Amino acid sequence: MNTFFSESTIRTICEFWIEKIVASVSLAAVAQVFGVHIQFCLAFVLLMALDTLTRYLAQTAKLWHDLYPQTPFTLYDLWKWRVQSRKWRYFRSGEMRKKFISKLGTYIIILGASAMCDLVMRISHGQPFCLMVCTAFLSLTELCSIMENLQECEVQQVADLMAIIKKRKEGVK
């Protein structure tokens, strides 16, 4: 007889059911308490990964200019040359990894401190704003870094966007 659930599947589902329930409830509680902060951290990890990728392409553009000073290139050309730039030490992954981890740690400390300030504001019946301001400033800082890296890759459309973003960032300060 062919059934949707076999006996072994049902047995596997029923094994360690207490541990599964405890783990599910614990994970749901952590997500409920730290949900917004986890989302902020994930967003910063993605922004920093994009920053690292564009830095990688900017270093590859430097290699291209050293080898072929008069030849134009595209982002796709840089993507194909990324392995060569790493081989020739224009891009050092160990150095970038250290910067990535230290920057992420700094962002987590800043966001944690601003979340604590917001908690104090809520307790004292004030309006919480620290997390929003810190998040906006750090996000714009990462965006500016990404734009600067793309400018080094000679992406022409970035210059106008960069001026707008810097003006907005000054408004946040």
Side-chain angles (χ1 to χ4, degrees):
M1 174 183 248
N2 191 1
T3 60
F4 186 70
F5 288 110
S6 67
E7 217 176 295
S8 64
T9 304
I10 294 173
R11 220 177 297 135
T12 304
I13 291 172
C14 293
E15 287 178 352
F16 306 110
W17 63 274
I18 293 176
E19 290 87 349
K20 290 177 183 176
I21 290 174
V22 169
S24 298
V25 169
S26 301
L27 187 60
V30 167
Q32 183 66 31
V33 171
F34 297 108
V36 173
H37 305 295
I38 290 172
Q39 290 173 4
F40 284 151
C41 287
L42 288 176
F44 281 121
V45 165
L46 291 175
L47 275 173
M48 288 171 24
L50 189 58
D51 182 35
T52 303
L53 174 69
T54 56
R55 182 80 238 144
Y56 196 12
L57 292 177
Q59 294 297 330
T60 305
K62 183 179 173 188
L63 169 66
W64 187 283
H65 279 300
D66 288 348
L67 294 176
Y68 311 110
Q70 300 300 324
T71 308
F73 57 85
T74 63
L75 286 177
Y76 180 69
D77 293 331
L78 296 179
W79 182 254
K80 290 190 308 188
W81 270 73
R82 73 190 188 286
V83 176
Q84 194 64 37
S85 70
R86 186 162 185 235
K87 281 182 185 176
W88 289 358
R89 307 299 256 167
Y90 276 77
F91 181 84
R92 293 178 184 87
S93 59
E95 180 181 317
M96 293 302 285
R97 193 176 317 114
K98 287 178 190 172
K99 288 180 183 178
F100 184 86
I101 297 298
S102 66
K103 189 188 288 188
L104 180 61
T106 304
Y107 283 4
I108 288 172
I109 289 169
I110 291 170
L111 290 177
S114 61
M116 289 297 154
C117 289
D118 279 354
L119 179 65
V120 169
M121 295 297 284
R122 282 191 192 100
I123 290 171
S124 64
H125 303 292
Q127 195 71 347
F129 67 92
C130 298
L131 188 61
M132 179 184 66
V133 170
C134 288
T135 303
F137 184 77
L138 293 174
S139 298
L140 287 172
T141 301
E142 279 300 307
L143 186 58
C144 285
S145 178
I146 291 168
M147 294 292 180
E148 288 167 357
N149 292 338
L150 288 174
Q151 276 183 331
E152 287 182 36
C153 293
E154 299 179 3
V155 176
Q156 300 300 325
Q157 297 83 357
V158 174
D160 297 333
L161 283 172
M162 190 69 172
I164 294 169
I165 290 168
K166 283 188 175 182
K167 185 186 288 185
R168 295 286 179 160
K169 185 179 174 186
E170 292 301 318
V172 171
K173 284 183 182 178

